[in-house]
Amino acid sequence: MNTGQLPLYAQLKESIIHDIRAGQLKPQDKLPSHSELCDVHNVSYMTMRRAINELVNEGMLYGVPGKGVYVAEPKEVAEMDPLLSFTEDMARRGKVASSRLLSAELYEASTIMAQVLKVQPGDPLVHLVRLRLADRMPVAIQRVTLRYALCPGILDYDLESGSLYAILRENYGLELAATEGTASAALAGEEEAELFGIELPAALLVTEQVSYLGSGEPVEVAHARYRGDRYGMPLPRVRGQ
Amino acid sequence: MNTGQLPLYAQLKESIIHDIRAGQLKPQDKLPSHSELCDVHNVSYMTMRRAINELVNEGMLYGVPGKGVYVAEPKEVAEMDPLLSFTEDMARRGKVASSRLLSAELYEASTIMAQVLKVQPGDPLVHLVRLRLADRMPVAIQRVTLRYALCPGILDYDLESGSLYAILRENYGLELAATEGTASAALAGEEEAELFGIELPAALLVTEQVSYLGSGEPVEVAHARYRGDRYGMPLPRVRGQ
DNA sequence: GAGTGGTCTAGACCACTGG
DNA sequence: CAGTGGTCTAGACCACTCC
C-alpha cells in the first residue's frame, strides 16, 4: 500500500494536515472514526492510530475516549524551534537575513569552555562573532563557539552570507538535535549600541544556548544579543505534562 | 500481563527511566535488543517499541538503524515548561515564591482582547496585577487577563499566597494544555523600577503569552516583566524536525 | 549471513460515551 | 446497546550494519 518515500503513518499525517489546511476539516470538527479512516486509506488500525496519535502529541488534534478525535484550534504563531538558524527564523518572518563577520578565530579551550563542550582544556575551538541583519537592519550580535575537531577547516568557508547550520550540516554531517539554555535581558553597551545604530540606554534580549547532536554530544555554545525593540523571540506552543 | 494502573507501554518507559536514573544504564550504553527486552518483560514487540519510541521522541534515547538503541546524554537543565506557574518555576530553583497583589478587577473586554480570548466585546474579564517575589526579592510583574466566564467568583480566592494555576485547576477544573507567545526585552519604567527597587536604566525580560485548554479554547493572556539581572528564563531542550 | 531497528498487518480486548 | 478511542498481541517484511 505504501507508494511514496515516507513511511505510511507519515503520509497519513500529511494527508490529515492537508485536509485541515485546505479547510476540509475545521477546528472542533470531529474526524471520521478510526475504522472508517482505515477503510478509506486502506491501512491497518495500528498504522492509522500511530498517525493520529502523533498529531495528538503535536497538539493538532485531541481525542476524547468514547466520543471521537477532534481538530484543535490552529496555532496562531509559528512554533518555536530553538534549533532554527537565524537565517531560517528570518525567512519565516518574510525577511532576508544577512551577516557581517566581525571576528573569526581559532583559540584554545579554557577550563570552563572545555567543561561545557566536553573537551580537554587547550583543545582547539572556533570563535565566531557575527552581526546579524534582517532586511539590512542590524538585529542581533551572535557569538558562537564550536569544537574545531568537529568542523576542521571551517574558517575557509564563506561565513558572511550563508547559514552556519547549513555549513555544519552539508559539509560536516552535523545534524543538531537538541538545545538548552536560558533567555534574559541586559542593557546594551557602547560598542553594541554603535553596531546596532541605537541610542543608549537600550534593552537587549540575551540568549545563551548549548546545542547537541542526537547522541547528546555538545557541538556549540551560542550567545546572542538581540535588539529588544526589533526582535521578539517566539515561545513554544507546548502540551502540558 | 498488565498489573498496574498505567498502560503497559508507560510502565515499560518508567522501567527504562528507572534503570537510567539508577545508573544501571549509563549515557552511550546500548540497550538490549528489542526482542530481548520483549522476552524479559513478557510483552509484544509493538508494545516494547512504543515505549522505546516515545523515549526517543522525548530525547532520552536515540536509535541507530541496524545497530541498536542507545542512552542519550542526560539533560543538564530542567526542561522548560511554559505552562509552569511562577510558583512551580521558583520551587524548581529552590526558592520560595510569594506575591503582592497590586490590583484585581473585573472589566469589560475591549475589541482586541475579545478577539484574542475569543469572546464578545463587553464580556466580563478579570485583570490581575501581581508583583512576584522569590525569597522575598521582587523578580517580576505579572499582568494576567482571564475570561471571567471560566472562573466566576475567582476574586474571592486568596490570590496573594497561592498559585493562580492551582486555583484554576482545583476549583474550576481548568487544565491548561498549551501556550504560545513571544519573549523580548524592554527598558524598565519609573514605576517598575520603584516596585523592583532598582536604579534606572534597567533592562527587563518581557513575555507575552496566551494559554489554552486541550480543546484550543483560550483561557488567559499573560504579560510578565522580569528583572533582567535576576531572572533567566529556561529555554527548551527540543529535538530537531 | 545473522542480528538490528523500523514499519506494518489483522486481528483482539477494554473503558467510555451516547441513545 | 452499538460505536468510539485506547491498548495490546503475535506475527511479518524491509533496510541497514557488522562479520
Side-chain angles (χ1 to χ4, degrees), chain A residues 113 142-145 165 207-211 220-224:
Chain A
M113 265 304 179
Q142 287 183 327
R143 295 183 176 82
V144 180
T145 305
Y165 282 21
T207 67
E208 315 246 14
Q209 286 179 278
V210 186
S211 301
E220 61 150 16
V221 175
H223 175 117

Side-chain angles (χ1 to χ4, degrees), chain A residues 33-205:
Chain A
S33 75
H34 284 168
S35 43
E36 249 179 280
L37 285 171
C38 292
D39 290 349
V40 173
H41 292 93
N42 250 298
V43 291
S44 83
Y45 186 85
M46 282 299 275
T47 305
M48 194 69 234
R49 272 223 92 283
R50 174 160 185 185
I52 291 175
N53 194 3
E54 296 205 354
L55 288 173
V56 168
N57 284 328
E58 289 166 20
M60 303 208 49
L61 306 175
Y62 64 101
V64 183
K67 297 190 71 175
V69 177
Y70 300 83
V71 179
E73 291 292 330
K75 315 184 179 186
E76 305 286 338
V77 191
E79 217 171 301
M80 179 198 197
D81 185 346
L83 295 169
L84 219 57
S85 70
F86 183 84
T87 312
E88 292 166 314
D89 187 9
M90 287 307 134
R92 289 203 187 176
R93 297 159 192 248
K95 307 205 172 193
V96 177
S98 54
S99 296
R100 244 185 62 206
L101 190 61
L102 301 180
S103 139
E105 48 191 22
L106 267 169
Y107 76 111
E108 297 183 351
S110 65
T111 8
I112 295 179
M113 265 304 179
Q115 212 163 1
V116 173
L117 288 174
K118 292 191 182 151
V119 295
Q120 295 301 316
D123 281 2
L125 301 179
V126 184
H127 190 70
L128 301 175
V129 183
R130 296 186 298 171
L131 181 67
R132 308 306 307 255
L133 307 93
D135 285 349
R136 294 209 202 130
M137 162 87 69
V139 169
I141 299 171
Q142 287 183 327
R143 295 183 176 82
V144 180
T145 305
L146 291 156
R147 291 171 53 189
Y148 189 64
L150 293 178
C151 51
I154 191 168
L155 295 182
D156 299 335
Y157 288 97
D158 174 17
L159 300 167
E160 285 257 308
S161 59
S163 158
L164 175 61
Y165 282 21
I167 293 175
L168 291 177
R169 185 173 56 244
E170 287 157 25
N171 298 291
Y172 299 99
L174 297 175
E175 196 78 59
L176 300 186
T179 232
E180 64 191 10
T182 59
S184 190
L187 290 171
E190 279 185 36
E191 263 183 76
E192 289 165 333
E194 202 167 322
L195 284 168
F196 284 141
I198 55 177
E199 303 282 312
L200 290 178
L204 304 181
L205 176 67

